[in-house]
Amino acid sequence: MKLSSTLKLSVSATIKMNGLALQKKAAGIRVFNLSAGEPMVDCHPSIIEGAERAMREGKTHYPPVAGIPELRQAFSDWMNTTYKTVYTSKNCIVTCGGKFGLYALFQAILDPGDEVVMIAPYWVSYSGITEMFGGVPVVTSTKEENGWRVSREDIERVSTAKTTILVLNNASNPTGTLYTRKQLRSILEFAASKHITVVSDEVYSGLMYDNNEFVSCGSFPEFQENVVVIQSCSKHFAMTGWRVGFVLAPEPVISRLSTIQGQSTTGTSSISQWAALAGVHNARAVIDSVRAPMRERRDVFTKIFNKLFGASILSAPSGLYSFVSLKALGSQETDSMKFALRLLEEGNIATVPGVAFGQEGYLRFSFGAEKEELEAALQALKTFLGSK
Ligand code: GLU
């Protein structure tokens, strides 16, 4: 069979590592799966009830392509009241997870040769999706000692006349790094002056710890024309499997995304959307029911890690991940892919190698798993390293 010769396809490292872990599990092997970022908690009852009600009431037909109006309205309202943004329902489209939102957006924006600036360590799919649409990933690196934070100058340095998109991931996957209003304003000012679209991936905005404040790029009305926000119910609503995400953008962008959805997914599952609506109506309780155990698991992970490995890694300020250098594990290995594959193959512990995030020498652990699982995984890691 003939396959496209122009499509530049790469495998998602998070999906790959999670898939390998699930395969081992299916073969009856005890696997510690700290790969994909998933809050392992039961879905909030209000969400389940929302889905049941939708099915009973026959809401099982095609929904509007851009999403049910109730959800577009409720989610924009939630953003406005929670993060001081200024969206209407017409600025909001419901997508099959934040990931498809990002995919459709890059398809809608990019021409071959357009450059997309991303900040390493960056979420694994930014580069892969860019390349699928003929774009060129341009990476600017950050350092652990600077809190993995990028500056306006770093971005200026790599920007060219071809820069079309700057992807900001606030809060960051994999580091949990957050940006202040002042830092964001400075970056947004630069982007606006060069007509660069800022795509702000904010899917971890509800998972803030230690009183950290989250600032949305959508909360700067002066840059509204230049900013697209990606959001999702997956992480802070613990709805990974329902596939409900959002793009918040100026109306012409939403209209283009809607046309893309009309030719691709036809929209997100109707039942999932009604379930998400029930979740958004209870947002505070739902998010609290996810954030509290995630904070506890983060603390357990950090404490046990430091104790077992004599390390002093810091707790992530937000999100679901601990991004740890191989050195902190006491390992001499520098090739994170080799390390992660061996760790899974021989130690039955699934993680994601730093190189997939554009940062060699590191490993990402998701602390979304239950506490007992985290403890057992770290013990297994200690045993694995001890046997090397
Ligand atoms: N976004 C999550 C992660 O980084 C889920 C997997 C994915 O879609 O990449 O682990």
Side-chain angles (χ1 to χ4, degrees):
M1 186 188 295
K2 187 213 169 276
L3 298 175
S4 165
S5 57
T6 52
L7 179 64
K8 218 168 164 199
L9 209 50
S10 55
V11 173
S12 154
T14 46
I15 299 297
K16 175 178 165 178
M17 295 307 282
N18 191 44
L20 289 173
L22 294 178
Q23 261 175 34
K24 280 199 149 205
K25 205 171 164 194
I29 300 167
R30 170 76 167 104
V31 182
F32 303 97
N33 191 359
L34 310 189
S35 60
E38 182 159 22
M40 288 302 198
V41 289
D42 287 340
C43 213
H44 194 271
S46 62
I47 294 169
I48 307 286
E49 277 158 29
E52 282 174 355
R53 206 175 321 121
M55 287 188 280
R56 269 198 310 274
E57 290 175 0
K59 289 169 172 152
T60 52
H61 301 275
Y62 287 127
V65 167
I68 56 171
E70 293 87 341
L71 182 57
R72 294 174 72 191
Q73 184 67 56
F75 197 78
S76 333
D77 290 347
W78 177 74
M79 285 289 295
N80 295 345
T81 48
T82 316
Y83 302 127
K84 303 188 179 67
T85 57
V86 282
Y87 293 120
T88 71
S89 63
K90 291 192 180 136
N91 299 123
C92 176
I93 183 170
V94 187
T95 56
C96 293
K99 197 185 227 173
F100 187 76
L102 192 88
Y103 179 95
L105 182 72
F106 279 23
Q107 185 169 37
I109 294 181
L110 291 177
D111 284 317
D114 282 349
E115 293 178 0
V116 177
V117 171
M118 53 198 74
I119 299 147
Y122 52 79
W123 178 47
V124 299
S125 287
Y126 296 151
S127 51
I129 296 177
T130 298
E131 289 181 330
M132 284 172 92
F133 297 114
V136 181
V138 174
V139 178
T140 176
S141 294
T142 57
K143 290 198 167 73
E144 187 171 11
E145 52 269 33
N146 298 336
W148 300 112
R149 200 165 285 107
V150 80
S151 67
R152 171 188 172 138
E153 292 68 37
D154 294 330
I155 296 166
E156 278 190 53
R157 219 170 292 126
V158 294
S159 298
T160 72
K162 288 188 172 167
T163 307
T164 307
I165 294 175
L166 162 66
V167 199
L168 265 187
N169 189 197
N170 178 38
S172 153
N173 170 6
T175 62
T177 296
L178 293 164
Y179 288 85
T180 64
R181 179 161 288 279
K182 197 169 156 210
Q183 289 161 343
L184 288 178
R185 172 166 290 116
S186 166
I187 292 170
L188 290 171
E189 257 166 19
F190 168 72
S193 74
K194 299 287 178 196
H195 306 288
I196 297 169
T197 298
V198 176
V199 175
S200 184
D201 179 350
E202 304 185 353
V203 304
Y204 295 91
S205 64
L207 297 176
M208 297 295 117
Y209 312 121
D210 316 324
N211 295 321
N212 281 315
E213 194 202 357
F214 172 76
V215 184
S216 170
C217 280
S219 65
F220 296 81
E222 65 274 38
F223 300 121
Q224 183 101 351
E225 287 309 303
N226 234 55
V227 169
V228 180
V229 170
I230 305 289
Q231 261 290 354
S232 170
C233 286
S234 290
K235 313 294 182 180
H236 39 227
F237 285 68
M239 290 182 71
T240 47
W242 301 79
R243 311 309 301 136
V244 181
F246 304 89
V247 179
L248 297 126
E251 275 186 59
V253 178
I254 298 298
S255 157
R256 202 158 221 228
L257 295 182
S258 188
T259 307
I260 291 176
Q261 288 207 149
Q263 293 284 29
S264 53
T265 61
T266 311
T268 299
S269 147
S270 169
I271 296 157
S272 291
Q273 291 193 57
W274 287 102
L277 179 64
V280 176
H281 283 152
N282 282 293
R284 185 167 294 195
V286 173
I287 292 176
D288 281 352
S289 75
V290 183
R291 186 177 43 207
M294 293 309 123
R295 187 189 49 228
E296 207 187 329
R297 293 175 196 185
R298 174 201 69 156
D299 292 345
V300 165
F301 182 90
T302 311
K303 200 170 144 208
I304 299 182
F305 186 97
N306 284 337
K307 197 168 143 213
L308 284 180
F309 299 104
S312 49
I313 62 162
L314 301 174
S315 292
S318 68
L320 283 177
Y321 312 104
S322 203
F323 196 58
V324 178
S325 69
L326 295 177
K327 274 201 201 106
L329 288 168
S331 169
Q332 301 303 315
E333 180 64 74
T334 50
D335 185 328
S336 58
M337 180 62 87
K338 224 160 107 188
F339 186 92
L341 289 173
R342 213 177 58 224
L343 184 59
L344 179 58
E345 194 43 48
E346 298 169 20
N348 293 317
I349 303 160
T351 57
V352 186
V355 68
F357 300 88
Q359 182 64 54
E360 192 46 289
Y362 281 74
L363 214 52
R364 189 193 79 173
F365 296 86
S366 165
F367 52 75
E370 285 87 358
K371 267 192 300 182
E372 298 68 29
E373 186 74 0
L374 294 175
E375 284 173 27
L378 287 170
Q379 283 295 348
L381 180 61
K382 176 90 182 157
T383 309
F384 169 80
L385 288 166
S387 68
K388 295 291 119 194

